[in-house]
Every structure is written in C-alpha cells, then in structure tokens.
Amino acid sequence: MTENPTAPRKNSGFFPVVPAGGVGSRLWPLSRPDRPKFLIDLLGSGATLIQDTVARLAPLGDEVMIVTGERHADAVAAQLPDVPAANIVTEPSPRDSMAAIALAAALIEHRHGEQIMGSFAADHVIPDAAAFRDTVRTAIAAAATGKVVTIGIEPTEPSSAFGYIESGAELTHAPGAFEVEAFTEKPDPETAAQMLADGGYSWNAGMFVVSTSVLLAHLARLHPTLESGVREIAAAWDGPGRADALARVWPTLTKIAIDHAIAEPVAAEGGVAMVPGSFVWDDVGDFDSLAALLAPGADGAIRIGRDAPASLVDAPGTVLVGGTKPVAVVGIADAVVVDTDEALLVLSRHAAQRVKDVDL
C-alpha cells in the first residue's frame, strides 16, 4: 500500500497526540527511567520508537503534540526537531494517561477550537504505516459522529498480555466502525482462548480518536474536577501563569487511565465505537516480543545493539542485547542476555514478563 507524499492532507482539523511516558519496566536494564524505551532505537532501524511514531502520524495532520515528563522533554525535543517547542507539553509528575490526554485536548481546543484528536502511544511498532493511516481515517470519520473511537487490533493468539474489546453492530453513519459492547481487562489464557473462539473480540491497543469537545464533555460528567483542572492549566499554558497553574492544579488531578475514566463507562452508555486494524502491531512489551520482530544471525542468535563476539553451544533461540565483552551461552535454550553499563540481566524468553518484578 503506497501513498503520494505530495498529496494534500485529507484531514485538516485532525490533531495527533503522542503520550510519551512510562519506563518500559519489562525491558530493564535496556530501558530505564532516564532512558525509556520510546527514546531507544530498539529495532536497529536508525530511528527511535518516538521518531517512528511521529513520522507515521505526520501525513494525517498539520501538527502533532507530544505529552511527556519534564525529565525527558529535552531528549524528546532533540529527537523531534520539527515539532514546535509549544507542542512539546511537559508533565511535572505522572498522573496516568487520562490527565495527559485531557491536558492535550484542552490545550488544542484553547488554541484552535474544537478538533478531532487522536492519542497514539510513543512506543508501538507498526511496520505498515499506510494501512495504519487508512484505519485512522476511518476512525476520524466515526469520531465526527460524536463517538469516542478506539482502534482494535486483530488478535493473532489468545494473549493474556492485552485487554480486549468486544464489538457489536456496524455504525449506520460510519462504515467500517462498530459499536463497542464492553472492554475486558487482561484475561487469563483460558478466557482469552474462549474469546477468540467466540469471535468479535480485538486487542485493546490504547489508541483513541475523538473530538476534543466530546472528550472534555464526558470528562466533565464523569470526573469534573479533572476536566476543570486541565482547562484551567490550558488557559494559562501560553502565558506567564503556567508554572503557578501547574503547581496548584496538577497535583490535584485524579490519577486514572483513560480506559477507566472514559472508555469503559462511556462504552456502557453506547458512546464508544471500534475500528478494526488489520495491520501488524506490537507494543514491544518485553524481550521476547522484541526478539520476535528481528531476524536471527547465521549462528541463530538475535542481536540487539551488539557487535561483540558470541559463542552458542546447544543454545537455540538466544537473544543478546548490548555489551562489549565476548559472551558464551551453553546448553540453555531461549536465553536472553542483556548487558548495559548499569546492570546485567540473564533470563529465559518464557519469563520475559517477569522482568518487571526485578528489585534493583
């Protein structure tokens, strides 16, 4: 699927937003609080995950807004020199996804009036950018009907690592979009397998497309202090009162994810739609999923940021990340060895999700 890069942008009035937070705890020690995964070139492509994300979104809107923590703002600005400084919005402290997305919505509306916005995480891998954009355009059309729209990913396995979206009938006035019956938190493997057998379920990738006024109106009903708080901050953002407003208001905002604050309760009211995305998607949640995106070398090892010698003896499926010293892996299948200046991690790919439990 190809696009003409010189063609006029079809969605004037669409404003992509990229929340860039989190530390990628299951990719420790490669990803750390001062070096989160969205700032790393994990795939060896020459671009970091946030650079890939912004490039993928650029043809959809005239501007993009990044919401990130204060400690990462300089690195984000350095990696994204084409994003205006005014569109790199910094949070003084993490308040979960709802506060970040709501502040972006309030800022966009304060500066530009009502817009359809889309929220897309900074650290997802989507190789087919054109197919992704086609899906987003369908979501934009559905959002124009007043729905909160999410993009569902076609499951490839009964994974318990993701939440699920149950879809219903197709929207009459938005072809390609479907009513959302319910959201389900990460299920156990048996429940996930039953969902796939039943059909009508998609993975919840945390992508939302919605009018700023619709989002803020739902927030005003469901979490009024959060809505009034972000509007107060947005009104002061471009003037001398920003620091004071942030200091007074930001710590009082409810710490809640957009799924719990908006998506789940509004879906119960019939106000959420889903557009299925058939493109390949990965949230690169751990070393096993990262390795699955890369091709092994001649010796069968998958290397990430590593050129130093390695010897594998009866060690299929080995993943080697970083490091400058020679490494030998003997008699261990699916081993992962991660070597950074700060720490050394050795684990099995089958235990990749448990890295978040490391206490160091």
Side-chain angles (χ1 to χ4, degrees):
M1 196 174 299
T2 60
E3 292 182 344
N4 178 1
T6 65
R9 289 173 177 167
K10 298 179 180 178
N11 295 312
S12 59
F14 178 64
F15 212 118
V17 173
V18 179
V23 299
S25 59
R26 288 169 293 175
L27 288 171
W28 178 91
L30 185 60
S31 178
R32 296 173 64 89
D34 59 345
R35 189 181 60 235
K37 66 176 179 175
F38 61 82
L39 293 175
I40 302 173
D41 177 8
L42 284 179
L43 303 180
S45 67
T48 65
L49 295 184
I50 194 170
Q51 288 173 326
D52 274 342
T53 299
V54 170
R56 189 164 57 243
L57 291 167
L60 290 169
D62 295 328
E63 297 184 61
V64 64
M65 180 176 287
I66 315 295
V67 184
T68 192
E70 287 182 344
R71 70 188 302 180
H72 302 135
D74 289 344
V76 167
Q79 289 195 7
L80 302 172
D82 293 334
V83 175
N87 284 1
I88 298 178
V89 177
T90 55
E91 305 173 289
S93 62
R95 303 302 299 172
D96 220 323
S97 60
M98 187 70 261
I101 295 168
L103 176 57
L107 264 173
I108 291 166
E109 195 161 278
H110 184 74
R111 291 172 175 173
H112 306 287
E114 180 183 8
Q115 303 277 305
I116 293 178
M117 65 178 286
S119 174
F120 307 93
D123 54 6
H124 291 175
V125 173
I126 300 173
D128 192 342
F132 164 78
R133 287 191 284 266
D134 284 345
T135 303
V136 174
R137 291 182 180 112
T138 302
I140 292 169
T145 70
K147 295 280 191 179
V148 176
V149 185
T150 187
I151 294 174
I153 304 299
E154 183 178 344
T156 57
E157 60 179 337
S159 175
S160 57
F162 308 119
Y164 285 73
I165 306 165
E166 181 183 1
S167 60
E170 188 171 16
L171 298 187
T172 303
H173 301 295
F178 300 82
E179 297 281 359
V180 169
E181 301 292 339
F183 289 85
T184 301
E185 290 289 336
K186 298 174 182 178
D188 58 60
E190 293 76 17
T191 302
Q194 187 60 55
M195 287 176 169
L196 265 62
D198 292 343
Y201 289 89
S202 303
W203 283 339
N204 181 5
M207 305 181 200
F208 293 95
V209 178
V210 62
S211 162
T212 54
S213 63
V214 169
L215 179 69
L216 293 168
H218 284 309
L219 202 60
R221 289 189 304 110
L222 298 167
H223 297 277
T225 57
L226 206 164
E227 186 267 350
S228 62
V230 295
R231 284 197 184 275
E232 181 178 351
I233 294 170
W237 192 269
D238 294 320
R242 179 199 302 184
D244 176 67
L246 277 172
R248 285 187 300 100
V249 180
W250 187 258
T252 71
L253 301 182
T254 306
K255 193 172 184 179
I256 188 172
I258 188 173
D259 302 75
H260 303 315
I262 296 292
E264 293 170 3
V266 175
E269 301 166 353
V272 180
M274 185 276 294
V275 173
S278 59
F279 49 82
V280 173
W281 166 87
D282 202 295
D283 74 342
V284 203
D286 56 44
F287 286 107
D288 186 46
S289 64
L290 174 58
L293 299 173
L294 300 169
D299 61 355
I302 294 169
R303 289 170 170 79
I304 300 167
R306 178 182 174 84
D307 297 318
S311 178
L312 307 184
V313 180
D314 189 22
T318 294
V319 181
L320 303 172
V321 184
T324 57
K325 298 184 295 294
V327 168
V329 181
V330 181
I332 304 173
D334 297 318
V336 181
V337 181
V338 185
D339 188 1
T340 72
D341 292 340
E342 300 92 354
L344 176 67
L345 171 70
V346 181
L347 73 153
S348 162
R349 288 176 64 169
H350 303 295
Q353 290 276 320
R354 297 178 61 188
V355 174
K356 66 181 184 299
D357 299 325
V358 171
D359 184 18
L360 283 176

